[in-house]
Amino acid sequence: MVTVNQQRVPRKRTYLMCSPEHFAVEYAINPWMDVTAPVDAELAVKQWDRLRETLVSLGHEVHLLAPERGLPDMVFAANGAFVVDGTVYGAQFKHEQRAAEAAAHRAFYEENGWRFIAPSETNEGEGDFAYLPDAHGGLILAGHGFRTELAAHAEAQEALGRPVVSLRLVDPRFYHLDVALASIDDENVVYYPGAFSTASQKVLAQLFPDAVLADDEDALAFGLNLVSDGLNVVLNSEATRLAGKLKAAGYTPVPVELAELKKGGGSVKCCIAELRH
């Protein structure tokens, strides 16, 4: 096991996060949201702070997006855009409750000198896009079926100049790609096959023969909504079985408690957008 671990090399990442100081479940736009289940706002901020501190302690850089009152889901910063090689493909949210978040993200990128491409198709940023820089020369995986329109995949490919592989999500509990699949290093993924159509499962098996496969229990614990630097895998503390599988594959699981944010249908990855220069 030690030899396997030695092959895993962490790479410093740059992330964008947004404090949950206005977080609440005020509407239900995914199967996890229950407007009758109260959110402990103070605890949500504490748990989010711990996540941010964990990333910094692992050597990563974290930028902050200012939260806006009336946008309780802004904490899920991954959904606001998708960044590859210094180019930003902006988000266009499916649900009107979140629509205004896109402008806040766009303002951040434009003020900081990024090349921003506004979308004309509905897409929810890194919620439905994942990038693997060393897989097949640089590959984008893109989910559709619930939030992001298939036409956005072609638009993203034109905007970013990287091949996009479309994957169809079929289980409403896994409504975004990032709750069903994650990159665990620059060329490999972990995913839950049951979240995808039969054809998409075949595509993933062909592209990633060495992928770590998650089961129902891992996925329902939001274990796949994770962030990895190539060695350290920050994931929901409830996903103990998946942590064991990742450890067996030579990664170092770093569990964090995010029970309050899970009430909004998100976990680690939902809170984190990666800024790829």
Side-chain angles (χ1 to χ4, degrees):
M1 187 60 68
V2 176
T3 37
V4 180
N5 256 314
Q6 285 171 346
Q7 296 166 7
R8 308 280 178 214
V9 180
R11 178 169 64 76
K12 184 184 173 180
R13 312 291 177 120
T14 304
Y15 296 124
L16 178 66
M17 296 179 69
C18 180
S19 168
E21 61 185 77
H22 302 306
F23 175 65
V25 179
E26 297 172 351
Y27 45 78
I29 56 173
N30 69 58
W32 303 94
M33 299 177 91
D34 178 359
V35 293
T36 66
V39 168
D40 184 331
E42 194 179 333
L43 181 56
V45 171
K46 279 183 183 165
Q47 291 177 346
W48 177 89
D49 266 332
R50 181 77 192 110
L51 172 61
R52 181 183 56 77
E53 288 162 6
T54 299
L55 297 173
V56 172
S57 72
L58 290 170
H60 305 303
E61 187 179 344
V62 178
H63 294 264
L64 297 177
L65 182 66
E68 297 183 17
R69 197 175 296 280
L71 296 175
D73 279 343
M74 260 187 88
V75 61
F76 300 128
N79 304 153
F82 178 52
V83 187
V84 175
D85 297 336
T87 297
V88 183
Y89 174 55
Q92 183 171 293
F93 287 86
K94 177 176 181 175
H95 295 286
E96 62 179 347
Q97 293 96 329
R98 299 195 64 186
E101 293 178 40
H105 282 265
R106 178 173 186 164
F108 168 84
Y109 288 109
E110 290 185 337
E111 285 163 14
N112 287 280
W114 293 80
R115 179 172 175 249
F116 186 90
I117 295 177
S120 49
E121 304 292 344
T122 299
N123 82 89
E124 300 200 346
E126 278 200 328
D128 274 322
F129 289 105
Y131 183 56
L132 292 106
D134 292 344
H136 310 280
L139 191 67
I140 295 169
L141 302 179
H144 68 100
F146 298 103
R147 297 292 186 84
T148 294
E149 294 297 325
L150 190 55
H153 297 184
E155 188 174 63
Q157 181 167 285
E158 285 301 306
L160 301 168
R162 294 289 185 184
V164 174
V165 174
S166 295
L167 302 168
R168 185 166 161 246
L169 298 162
V170 296
D171 187 329
R173 297 172 301 175
F174 309 112
Y175 58 93
H176 271 154
L177 183 70
D178 72 0
V179 290
L181 174 149
S183 63
I184 40 177
D185 56 41
D186 288 342
E187 57 187 1
N188 203 10
V189 296
V190 55
Y191 67 96
Y192 169 52
F196 298 93
S197 69
T198 304
S200 292
Q201 289 181 39
K202 288 179 181 173
V203 169
L204 284 167
Q206 180 181 326
L207 288 174
F208 303 102
D210 300 321
V212 175
L213 299 183
D215 61 24
D216 217 52
E217 187 180 313
D218 300 327
L220 291 171
F222 272 69
L224 292 159
N225 196 240
L226 61 80
V227 162
S228 173
D229 61 14
L231 169 64
N232 304 293
V233 182
V234 182
L235 78 168
N236 194 305
S237 57
E238 292 176 38
T240 51
R241 275 167 59 107
L242 185 58
K245 291 172 190 173
L246 291 164
K247 192 171 184 181
Y251 298 90
T252 302
V254 183
V256 290
E257 172 61 60
L258 281 178
E260 289 308 298
L261 293 170
K262 192 181 173 189
K263 293 174 181 176
S267 189
V268 174
K269 178 69 189 93
C270 286
C271 294
I272 302 165
E274 186 167 349
L275 308 181
R276 302 177 187 88
H277 288 279

